[in-house]
Amino acid sequence: QQPDPLLAQVLAEVNRRPQHQISKASKAVSLYGLQAVRLMTEAGGLPCATRLDVGLAARLDEWLEAKSVGIRRRSRLEHSAQAALASVGLQPTPDVSVGHGLSADFRCQALRGSPCGGPRGRIFYVEVDGPSHFCLRPQWRPRGRTLLKRRLFEALGLELVP
């Protein structure tokens, strides 16, 4: 894929903005959108010659981590999923942050030698995708936000099990 010149121009413009125009007070959806572009360009999923300024990227991580802390609520489905994961020995840790303002419902550890862990053990993340994660029509098609989260985990090299 060829680098996207328009995306490069947009990122260059974002990098030129004064700090007060992009801050922790900015709308979460804008910050998460910028973070998605940043992570995808860094991982090579969006070819672009320009990268987000390192200082802004660090502040973006900080702001989104702070915003994500106050959002989490666990559902009954998540409580049931935790019990099921624990019952098969996957040691689920609920409501984990993986950095960059991203979180997962569970971080699971499959022990070395176990059926899921293989010879070296395995760490993976589980996202409990209830009805709100899917479109009504066509039925069971994941919503855009759900797909984006999956792609961001992949871009970070983290295994996410929906």
Side-chain angles (χ1 to χ4, degrees):
Q1 276 183 326
Q2 295 294 325
D4 186 335
L6 179 58
L7 182 57
Q9 290 174 357
V10 169
L11 286 174
E13 177 60 31
V14 167
N15 287 335
R16 281 193 291 273
R17 296 283 169 124
Q19 185 173 346
H20 72 274
Q21 288 185 354
I22 303 172
S23 70
K24 65 181 177 183
S26 298
K27 290 186 181 269
V29 68
S30 300
L31 296 176
Y32 278 110
L34 186 57
Q35 185 74 305
V37 169
R38 171 197 165 202
L39 295 175
M40 294 301 289
T41 55
E42 287 178 359
L46 286 174
C48 184
T50 304
R51 297 286 189 258
L52 195 61
D53 174 77
V54 174
L56 178 56
R59 290 190 305 276
L60 189 59
D61 281 345
E62 185 181 307
W63 300 331
L64 289 172
E65 286 293 327
K67 285 183 184 289
S68 70
V69 168
I71 296 173
R72 294 292 301 144
R73 286 181 308 245
R74 294 186 63 212
S75 68
R76 281 192 289 196
L77 180 58
E78 288 171 332
H79 285 286
S80 297
Q82 181 176 7
L85 291 166
S87 74
V88 295
L90 293 177
Q91 302 177 351
T93 302
D95 303 324
V96 292
S97 171
V98 299
H100 308 293
L102 291 171
S103 63
D105 293 329
F106 301 101
R107 176 186 176 273
C108 293
Q109 182 173 355
L111 298 176
R112 183 177 60 215
S114 69
C116 285
R120 295 187 304 175
R122 177 174 154 217
I123 292 175
F124 60 96
Y125 299 87
V126 174
E127 186 68 16
V128 178
D129 289 344
S132 66
H133 291 85
F134 298 94
C135 298
L136 293 175
R137 295 184 199 265
Q139 194 172 16
W140 297 113
R141 186 183 87 199
R143 295 177 67 195
R145 182 177 177 160
T146 299
L147 292 173
L148 178 60
K149 186 172 196 173
R150 292 175 187 175
R151 289 193 68 194
L152 292 175
F153 268 76
E154 183 181 332
L156 292 170
L158 301 173
E159 182 182 4
L160 180 67
V161 178

